[in-house]
Amino acid sequence: MKVLFASSEVVPFAKTGGLADVSGSLPIALEDLGMDVRVVMPKYASVRTASSEASIGGSVKVYFVENDHYFKRPGLYGEKEGDYIDNLDRFGFFCRETIERIKKEDFKPDIIHCNDWQTALIPVYLKTRYAHDPFFRGVKILYTIHNMAYQGVFPADEYSKIGLRKDLFDVDCFEFYGKLNLMKAGLVYADAISTVSPSYAKEIMTKEFGCGLEGVVSSRRRDLFGILNGLDYGSWDPATDTNIFKNYSARTVDDKYENKRGLQKELGLKLDSKAPVIGIISRLAYQKGFDLLAAIINEVLSMDVQFVLLGTGESKYHAQFEKLAGRYPRNASMNLRFDAKLAQKIYAACDIFLIPSRYEPCGLGQMISFKYGAIPVVRLTGGLKDSVREFDAQTAIGDGFTFPGVSSGELMKAIKRALAVYKKEDVWRSLVTKVMEYDFSWKRSAKDYRALYERILSA
Ligand code: ADP
């Protein structure tokens, strides 16, 4: 089977978020299953090669779409001042060039796997402009939603820029409350739609999570699927991680505590091997539930725990958490920046990892913390709901501490349940070693994608 994977960001060439991790890992895992997979992305300034192609994982070819005016810029979608004002021109160009490029390369895929709004025009062009082009006969399209909140919405008067028939700008296709919405049209024209967890697939059909497109998504519910992302254990494994203080695995879990000590030292916390370390690493955004945490953080810090935060984002949260650092210098460490190395040290050091998200399409933090032997406390939403079950100390079933409501009280209770189990040393230890053995690798998800591609092709 031949697959073209179209994405606006791919590790290691360009990254702003989780989409880049998926795009840099899933194609390799699919190729390992015996498929012929090629990736296409824009050639940004961050792409260092002079060539118009490269490869990932040794064997997956990556085609770069080149246009210096559009893509040789400091940012991918914008800079501090906001989004680039010509994003419609930029990604419209990317979609048209993607189609032309594979024709030029004589690579006829069975499936074009599109990701997020930057690639949403591919299905529309293919099924309109290219509808009678024999090269593309039988090519099917899967469109994956990584986050419903980013839809590629532009002013209606920019519609003429994308060169499509006027009548497509209507409520059944591009038109969205008087504006132009790329994701909407992509969802209408794709042969199938997927999102990054089974629960999020259900959630986006509701008003609460659908961001205005719940009706469109619901109308396609028969073609809608949810597949949980995998984790790249090549980069996330405490046994091989070169950024942490001491490597460890489920068999040498005592060495995890060397990491606790190392982090306490580095961050100026009290050296204390017994105190539970609670960590959170996240964008400081409303989506991530920081208001829930802010409401109870004083109560948390007044208990016998240590708290480590790493994150950047909305300035009001920066101010709130910075203030606390001064008040609790020995048991709180607030690191308000992006720091990939420190992140790995925190995962390795902490006992409890918080993810109180309002919504979470998939979430990586829970999978990383499992691997590093940190027990997640999560709100039951999206991918968190699909990967973390409440732990029961009696039966030893479960793997974390969960709460359903968007409620700081429920978050506090879940943290307290975690702390109560933490006190039972043996129970905690067997929980930690159990979750470290879990397999959330891409291998599993790649098989699910392969099955989905096959299903689309046989429809
Ligand atoms: P999202 O893509 O919505 O931000 P995910 O849970 O899918 O959330 O992925 C977040 C990833 O980014 C995780 O690997 C997390 O460790 C990392 N991360 C978030 N904030 C920071 C930060 N300030 N420094 C380092 N890594 C961070």
Side-chain angles (χ1 to χ4, degrees):
M1 189 185 308
K2 291 183 181 174
V3 177
L4 178 75
F5 195 91
S7 174
S8 60
E9 48 184 273
V10 181
V11 163
F13 304 109
K15 169 168 174 169
T16 68
L19 169 62
D21 294 309
V22 175
S23 308
S25 319
L26 173 58
I28 298 170
L30 291 169
E31 185 112 335
D32 287 345
L33 294 179
M35 296 184 214
D36 181 358
V37 187
R38 317 267 169 106
V39 177
V40 61
M41 68 174 284
K43 192 172 185 185
Y44 302 108
S46 62
V47 180
R48 300 265 177 240
T49 172
S51 168
S52 69
E53 60 177 62
S55 69
I56 52 172
S59 58
V60 177
K61 202 176 260 186
V62 180
Y63 297 128
F64 297 119
V65 166
E66 296 182 74
N67 181 313
D68 287 356
H69 170 63
Y70 284 152
F71 301 126
K72 275 230 155 94
R73 301 184 186 180
L76 268 51
Y77 316 121
E79 289 165 46
K80 261 212 277 323
E81 301 71 35
D83 287 347
Y84 293 130
I85 53 166
D86 58 351
N87 273 345
L88 183 61
D89 306 86
R90 298 172 75 229
F91 291 100
F93 173 82
F94 173 59
C95 291
R96 292 188 297 275
E97 279 297 299
T98 290
I99 295 170
E100 286 297 325
R101 179 68 177 272
I102 52 176
K103 207 170 159 179
K104 208 172 91 200
E105 301 281 352
D106 197 25
F107 179 70
K108 180 182 177 175
D110 299 292
I111 298 278
I112 300 181
H113 188 159
C114 295
N115 295 278
D116 280 352
W117 69 265
Q118 294 88 346
T119 59
L121 285 172
I122 293 174
V124 190
Y125 285 133
L126 213 67
K127 307 245 167 128
T128 55
R129 274 194 191 184
Y130 291 86
H132 302 293
D133 186 329
F135 185 83
F136 293 103
R137 187 172 302 143
V139 175
K140 301 280 187 187
I141 299 203
L142 172 65
Y143 182 99
T144 298
I145 300 165
H146 295 262
N147 190 332
M148 204 65 200
Y150 302 96
Q151 301 180 356
V153 175
F154 298 93
D157 59 14
E158 290 196 39
Y159 182 67
S160 60
K161 287 180 171 177
I162 55 178
L164 286 163
R165 292 195 325 255
K166 272 213 175 84
D167 61 295
L168 293 184
F169 190 79
D170 79 347
V171 72
D172 293 323
C173 193
F174 280 106
E175 200 261 333
F176 180 72
Y177 299 101
K179 292 193 167 150
L180 165 60
N181 185 322
L182 300 188
M183 183 196 269
K184 186 177 173 195
L187 295 178
V188 170
Y189 273 94
D191 294 291
I193 299 165
S194 76
T195 184
V196 290
S197 67
S199 288
Y200 195 58
K202 288 191 200 118
E203 288 168 354
I204 57 175
M205 289 190 276
T206 66
K207 197 167 161 37
E208 189 184 354
F209 298 98
C211 303
L213 290 183
E214 56 276 8
V216 181
V217 176
S218 302
S219 72
R220 301 225 48 199
R221 62 192 332 136
R222 262 180 235 98
D223 304 312
L224 174 65
F225 304 87
I227 299 177
L228 203 65
N229 284 338
L231 181 66
D232 174 12
Y233 288 125
S235 341
W236 296 104
D237 182 351
T240 53
D241 190 329
T242 52
N243 290 314
I244 64 177
F245 295 98
K246 180 151 194 193
N247 290 118
Y248 63 99
S249 68
R251 270 173 290 115
T252 55
V253 75
D254 278 337
D255 290 339
K256 179 173 168 62
Y257 302 101
E258 290 292 319
N259 287 287
K260 187 187 255 191
R261 203 185 148 74
L263 188 76
Q264 286 169 335
K265 228 180 193 167
E266 179 168 321
L267 299 179
L269 296 165
K270 192 169 147 213
L271 290 182
D272 181 347
S273 61
K274 288 264 184 287
V277 175
I278 302 177
I280 184 164
I281 303 174
S282 169
R283 289 184 286 118
L284 299 181
Y286 182 73
Q287 173 201 336
K288 299 293 183 182
F290 274 94
D291 53 327
L292 304 186
L293 181 61
I296 56 154
I297 187 72
N298 274 301
E299 189 180 348
V300 172
L301 288 172
S302 64
M303 297 187 294
D304 193 13
V305 305
Q306 297 191 344
F307 178 80
V308 179
L309 177 147
L310 172 63
T312 55
E314 292 172 28
S315 49
K316 75 169 180 202
Y317 298 124
H318 279 243
Q320 248 168 359
F321 287 96
E322 212 147 41
K323 226 187 323 173
L324 288 164
R327 267 177 64 191
Y328 300 93
R330 295 295 274 163
N331 72 331
S333 170
M334 307 295 181
N335 306 278
L336 301 163
R337 61 177 191 275
F338 192 92
D339 185 339
K341 282 189 182 152
L342 180 58
Q344 294 186 273
K345 290 179 192 167
I346 295 174
Y347 284 116
C350 72
D351 300 294
I352 295 168
F353 191 81
L354 305 182
I355 318 180
S357 303
R358 281 202 149 61
Y359 73 92
E360 196 61 78
C362 175
L364 278 177
Q366 76 280 24
M367 300 180 195
I368 302 173
S369 34
F370 282 149
K371 189 69 186 174
Y372 283 72
I375 304 304
V377 170
V378 309
R379 187 171 105 74
L380 287 172
T381 181
L384 299 171
K385 196 170 167 179
D386 296 331
S387 51
V388 186
R389 299 159 304 166
E390 177 76 22
F391 178 70
D392 179 338
Q394 241 67 58
T395 61
I397 292 170
D399 17 68
F401 299 89
T402 65
F403 60 100
V406 180
S407 146
S408 52
E410 288 186 29
L411 168 61
M412 189 69 223
K413 279 190 191 145
I415 293 173
K416 283 185 173 158
R417 290 200 300 280
L419 291 171
V421 177
Y422 179 81
K423 286 206 181 97
K424 301 177 188 160
E425 253 175 64
D426 293 347
V427 181
W428 188 262
R429 196 188 174 85
S430 59
L431 172 59
V432 166
T433 49
K434 177 175 82 174
V435 301
M436 286 183 73
E437 308 272 20
Y438 283 179
D439 180 8
F440 281 99
S441 67
W442 274 107
K443 210 181 249 167
R444 229 175 44 165
S445 313
K447 284 187 184 147
D448 291 343
Y449 276 107
R450 179 174 62 184
L452 177 53
Y453 296 156
E454 281 165 356
R455 185 182 171 136
I456 297 168
L457 289 171
S458 65

